[in-house]
Amino acid sequence: MATMADVARHAGVSVATVSHVLNDTRVVRPATRQAVLDAIEVLGYTPNTLARSLVTARTRSIGLAVSAISNPYFTEILQGVEAGALEHGYSLLFAGPHDDPGHERKVVQLLHERRVDGMIVAPSADPGALVAYLTRHDVPTVFLDRLLDTPSDSTPRFDQVCAENAEPMARLMAHLTALGHKRIGLVAGRPGLSTTAERIAGYHIGLASAGLAYDERLVAHGDSESEGAERATAALLSLAAPPTALVTANNVMTLGTLRALRELGVTVPDDLALCCFDDFAWADLFSPRLTAISQPGKDIGAQAVRLLLDRLADPDLPTRTVRLPCTFVHRESCGCSDREHPENPRQAEKGPVS
């Protein structure tokens, strides 16, 4: 079995240089670094991760705690985290908090006890116990998708990354109001989540921009679940003056809404226009195809890894909150065909939306 000394001899460098390349503990000239990597490949050298962790106090592993992994959006985030971790030589330990604050606290502790170097977490709607644990143990952590409230000193305690929420929702509303809709229902997510609050804020912005009054009866919480969205949709359509258009605030709730509409015999878009926050692979397969906001899940995951590695390299860096733009994907469920869409309809509109 090849040793680090064998790699050093093959590459014509010192053992210390090989160690620096493996552990990223010092900048090494690109040509020298490549020579070491080539020697590792030729000799089939496998670093002793356990021995290295005892020396460096690092395990080169990241703990990931994300609920609803069956949700295609979170699957994309996981792919982004995994690719970013692998690119930098880190392994990934995954745990599912199930959006339960007590279980969330337990799984994060279990990951911490496995001596992960840092954590990436999508927090629940009540993350108090989680935040207390991470703060008490000074665990380098990045929150993704769902942000924490900014503390009173205006400085986030943790690095955070998510997509824009209010602006894309306002864009969906602007599209529907431009089509003449004045009663637009919202199937909102679980109360307490930043994504829910921000998307409701975008709904308000869209109404105000169109000169429409807010009607609380047109907002029903689907609790970010399919079954909840079914109930919320049925409640909205049972109003004496039901909405002429609906916006669903995540992809799982879109499925519940579609199920409810089928049960009620409501046809999209003839009877009701529909727009969705969250695009997913099947959105293009429904008839009609679903007009949606697409979130950059893989980029969010990759950015979370970069933020965490920066934090590990320099614990004293100012904390950062990074927001990534979404894409407006126009299809037919909103009630207008591609040909009727004024903004180069066959192209997804990328960048910040307003």
Side-chain angles (χ1 to χ4, degrees):
M1 179 180 294
T3 65
M4 192 180 294
D6 295 330
V7 172
R9 281 192 295 270
H10 193 280
V13 299
S14 67
V15 171
T17 298
V18 174
S19 177
H20 288 311
V21 170
L22 290 173
N23 297 306
D24 288 330
T25 48
R26 194 186 72 185
V27 177
V28 177
R29 289 192 306 112
T32 303
R33 180 182 181 83
Q34 191 57 52
V36 171
L37 295 176
D38 289 343
I40 289 171
E41 180 69 21
V42 169
L43 298 175
Y45 172 69
T46 303
N48 187 329
T49 304
L50 178 59
R52 189 195 321 175
S53 69
L54 293 174
V55 173
T56 64
R58 293 280 181 89
T59 60
R60 296 194 72 82
S61 61
I62 295 171
L64 176 65
V66 176
S67 296
I69 200 64
S70 59
N71 184 326
Y73 168 62
F74 282 110
T75 301
E76 284 194 3
I77 285 180
L78 173 58
Q79 291 171 349
V81 172
E82 185 177 38
L86 182 62
E87 178 185 356
H88 293 92
Y90 280 76
S91 60
L92 204 60
L93 276 68
F94 171 77
H98 305 306
D99 274 331
D100 175 81
H103 190 64
E104 174 181 67
R105 160 68 173 73
K106 291 177 183 176
V107 299
V108 164
Q109 180 176 344
L110 287 173
L111 290 171
H112 185 218
E113 290 172 352
R114 293 294 184 97
R115 300 184 65 221
V116 295
D117 294 338
M119 306 248 192
I120 296 174
V121 181
S124 69
D126 184 15
L130 166 70
V131 170
Y133 180 88
L134 294 171
T135 301
R136 183 166 62 254
H137 294 280
D138 196 24
V139 181
T141 302
V142 174
F143 287 109
L144 57 73
D145 184 62
R146 304 156 173 185
L147 305 186
L148 301 182
D149 290 335
T150 303
S152 57
D153 64 1
S154 77
T155 303
R157 296 184 182 90
F158 302 94
D159 297 303
Q160 308 187 93
V161 58
C162 69
E164 295 286 356
N165 287 295
E167 288 180 329
M169 178 61 78
R171 176 56 197 273
L172 287 181
M173 294 292 292
H175 185 65
L176 289 170
T177 56
L179 294 174
H181 293 283
K182 298 184 184 302
R183 290 187 61 78
I184 302 171
L186 173 64
V187 180
R190 179 171 297 153
L193 296 177
S194 65
T195 47
T196 298
E198 291 179 1
R199 290 169 196 176
I200 291 176
Y203 175 81
H204 281 270
I205 292 169
L207 290 173
S209 296
L212 298 174
Y214 171 71
D215 184 346
E216 64 180 9
R217 293 170 297 180
L218 291 176
V219 177
H221 285 275
D223 292 326
S224 303
E225 298 174 348
S226 178
E227 294 80 3
E230 284 190 65
R231 294 189 294 271
T233 301
L236 289 170
L237 294 185
S238 69
L239 293 172
T244 61
L246 277 183
V247 178
T248 55
N250 79 7
N251 54 13
V252 174
M253 290 192 297
T254 297
L255 297 178
T257 290
L258 288 170
R259 190 176 298 111
L261 296 179
R262 183 189 63 196
E263 293 296 323
L264 294 168
V266 176
T267 302
V268 175
D270 296 337
D271 300 327
L272 182 82
L274 178 65
C275 288
C276 319
F277 204 111
D278 270 353
D279 198 23
F280 51 101
W282 317 311
D284 200 39
L285 301 178
F286 287 100
S287 181
R289 301 181 307 150
L290 301 178
T291 294
I293 291 296
S294 177
Q295 298 191 79
K298 290 182 181 178
D299 291 342
I300 290 172
Q303 181 66 51
V305 173
R306 286 192 287 271
L307 288 173
L308 181 58
L309 296 186
D310 287 348
R311 176 64 50 203
L312 292 173
D314 185 356
D316 296 324
L317 277 175
T319 53
R320 293 174 287 175
T321 294
V322 176
R323 287 185 177 269
L324 301 180
C326 293
T327 302
F328 177 80
V329 184
H330 180 262
R331 299 189 182 103
E332 296 92 20
S333 66
C334 52
C336 54
S337 70
D338 276 354
R339 289 185 299 277
E340 294 171 326
H341 192 248
E343 302 177 27
N344 197 9
R346 297 250 174 220
Q347 300 294 321
E349 184 181 328
K350 296 182 179 179
V353 288
S354 58

